Amino acid sequence: NATGGVFTMNEPNAANWGTADAAMFAGFPAWDWAYDRTDIKSVDPQTRQITLNTAKIYDKSIKNSGMRYFVYNIIEELDEPGEWYIDQNTSMLYYYPMYPIENSKLEMTVLEGAFVNLNEVSNLVFDGLEFMQGMFDAFTLSGCSNIKFTNSNYHDLGRSAVRNTYEYEGGKVSNYIEVSNSIIRNMGSVGVSLLGGDFETLEESGNLIRNNQFSRCGQIKRSYAGGVRVQSVGTVIEHNIFFDMPHQAIGVDGALNKVRYNEITDVCQESNDMGAIYSGRKAYWRGNEISYNYVHDITPAEGMAGLLCGVYWDDSLSGEIVHHNIFKNIPRAVFQNGGCDNLTYNNIVID
């Protein structure tokens, strides 16, 4: 369906939903590695048929059986502590509290946009800061150089801690950016996202992501939004810890990037056909090196076939190197789905 997915649910309570005019859909409409979230155009309570306003990912392949999804923002389903409903006509929030709130302080962010936007600036250090409870990012970058974010705490943000805006947003690459010695948790999207280097000349970015702790990233955008995602030449990701995420931990797009001395565990919780460290698509993204990492205890979600990997080279990706890693208790250590000239050697694989 080119204008929106249509499917029938096995939900007996749908007959009680009324118009459900503010309902939202979220889940995996086509593939177990592609999460989508969109508004619902209509619900037929009698036939239990849902029509999505848009099916943003692979809308022509939407499943009619076996799909993992949920529908939310329905007032008739407000029956358990922690649930909420927003009436979009009156801007009224209905919340079923998890504990007595008579003497509690309730907070809601109203900041639209990042806390700090950095556009073509250089030679700055942000040290010892805390950013929390924002709808979007702590920092956005575009065309910056020699900026250091260190010894800081980022949590409960709607998008990212540090994010270089993409080209389609008008963003430019940033070089010699360091994110270090920080705790990054409860992010709506990816924890740190950097663009850097020159893809034509292969001039390296000099970007560095070191000695951070990433957890619970991708809480809203639940696929392709792990702890770190780079589109760069020559970024180093090292000595970090990644855990408790629904999808990948590290996404590496580009060339000559190094992922080393990291520990990754309990990721890919909701996905299949995915890797803790993942890259794909371009044959010329060559020379990425994955080394000296400890990747362990990654198990398939209930009902999944179990194509979960420590390292996943997808599509035509070529010329990659995986060596001296330890993979433990993972369905598959290293998977190459196409491509050529990839090297895997001197790794330890346990269970």
Side-chain angles (χ1 to χ4, degrees), residues 219-279:
Q219 293 301 297
I220 298 174
K221 186 180 185 299
R222 301 184 75 83
S223 60
Y224 299 99
V228 170
R229 188 173 182 89
V230 298
Q231 294 185 5
S232 66
V233 178
T235 291
V236 176
I237 304 166
E238 65 180 12
H239 296 289
N240 303 285
I241 297 175
F242 301 84
F243 63 95
D244 194 7
M245 298 181 195
H247 209 250
Q248 62 190 224
I250 302 173
V252 182
D253 297 341
L256 304 175
N257 299 294
K258 298 184 185 300
V259 180
R260 60 195 185 192
Y261 301 108
N262 301 284
E263 181 178 358
I264 303 173
T265 186
D266 192 23
V267 298
C268 301
Q269 296 168 334
E270 298 178 1
S271 56
N272 194 24
D273 195 11
M274 183 45 56
I277 302 170
Y278 174 87
S279 184

Side-chain angles (χ1 to χ4, degrees), residues 167-180:
E167 292 182 358
Y168 68 82
E169 302 174 280
K172 302 176 182 178
V173 299
S174 299
N175 296 321
Y176 298 100
I177 306 301
E178 177 180 327
V179 181
S180 61

Side-chain angles (χ1 to χ4, degrees), residues 65-80:
S65 63
M67 183 193 345
R68 294 180 295 144
Y69 71 95
F70 63 96
V71 178
Y72 64 100
N73 206 41
I74 299 175
I75 194 168
E76 290 85 358
E77 294 293 327
L78 195 64
D79 56 3
E80 292 186 11

Side-chain angles (χ1 to χ4, degrees), residues 290-293 311 321-327 333-334 343-350:
I290 313 299
S291 60
Y292 302 101
N293 300 286
V311 177
I321 308 166
V322 182
H323 67 90
H324 291 95
N325 301 280
I326 299 175
F327 301 101
V334 181
L343 298 178
T344 301
Y345 62 91
N346 288 350
N347 300 282
I348 297 175
V349 179
I350 305 170

Side-chain angles (χ1 to χ4, degrees), residues 31 121 124 160 187 216 223 350:
W31 306 101
V121 299
L124 292 175
S160 302
M187 298 287 118
R216 293 182 54 78
S223 60
I350 305 170

Side-chain angles (χ1 to χ4, degrees), residues 44-281:
D44 187 325
Q46 302 307 316
T47 64
R48 295 180 294 183
Q49 185 177 80
I50 286 182
T51 301
L52 304 182
N53 196 38
T54 57
K56 301 177 184 177
I57 303 177
Y58 305 102
D59 57 330
K60 294 183 181 180
S61 302
I62 189 167
K63 295 179 181 178
N64 279 308
S65 63
M67 183 193 345
R68 294 180 295 144
Y69 71 95
F70 63 96
V71 178
Y72 64 100
N73 206 41
I74 299 175
I75 194 168
E76 290 85 358
E77 294 293 327
L78 195 64
D79 56 3
E80 292 186 11
E83 295 182 340
W84 50 266
Y85 165 77
I86 297 176
D87 186 324
Q88 297 186 8
N89 295 319
T90 63
S91 298
M92 180 71 72
L93 169 65
Y94 298 82
Y95 175 59
Y96 192 154
M98 301 182 68
Y99 46 82
I101 60 172
E102 286 80 4
N103 299 314
S104 299
K105 180 180 179 181
L106 299 180
E107 298 179 334
M108 179 178 294
T109 181
V110 295
L111 176 65
E112 297 183 1
F115 282 95
V116 183
N117 294 296
L118 301 173
N119 185 27
E120 297 186 2
V121 299
S122 59
N123 304 319
L124 292 175
V125 176
F126 296 90
D127 189 350
L129 304 176
E130 181 175 15
F131 291 87
M132 59 184 288
Q133 297 176 338
M135 293 175 63
F136 294 96
D137 311 284
F139 291 95
T140 62
L141 313 175
S142 177
C144 298
S145 65
N146 194 29
I147 298 180
K148 184 176 183 178
F149 307 91
T150 191
N151 300 314
S152 295
N153 188 2
Y154 307 90
H155 60 96
D156 302 299
L157 297 174
R159 193 150 57 188
S160 302
V162 179
R163 185 178 69 91
N164 201 124
T165 54
Y166 290 98
E167 292 182 358
Y168 68 82
E169 302 174 280
K172 302 176 182 178
V173 299
S174 299
N175 296 321
Y176 298 100
I177 306 301
E178 177 180 327
V179 181
S180 61
N181 305 316
S182 296
I183 297 175
I184 299 168
R185 58 186 173 88
N186 289 343
M187 298 287 118
S189 186
V190 63
V192 173
S193 178
L194 297 182
L195 281 65
D198 191 311
F199 281 81
E200 294 185 1
T201 66
L202 294 182
E203 179 180 358
E204 298 192 10
S205 68
N207 292 339
L208 176 64
I209 302 170
R210 171 188 287 166
N211 199 35
N212 304 286
Q213 182 186 99
F214 296 89
S215 64
R216 293 182 54 78
C217 298
Q219 293 301 297
I220 298 174
K221 186 180 185 299
R222 301 184 75 83
S223 60
Y224 299 99
V228 170
R229 188 173 182 89
V230 298
Q231 294 185 5
S232 66
V233 178
T235 291
V236 176
I237 304 166
E238 65 180 12
H239 296 289
N240 303 285
I241 297 175
F242 301 84
F243 63 95
D244 194 7
M245 298 181 195
H247 209 250
Q248 62 190 224
I250 302 173
V252 182
D253 297 341
L256 304 175
N257 299 294
K258 298 184 185 300
V259 180
R260 60 195 185 192
Y261 301 108
N262 301 284
E263 181 178 358
I264 303 173
T265 186
D266 192 23
V267 298
C268 301
Q269 296 168 334
E270 298 178 1
S271 56
N272 194 24
D273 195 11
M274 183 45 56
I277 302 170
Y278 174 87
S279 184
R281 302 294 183 188

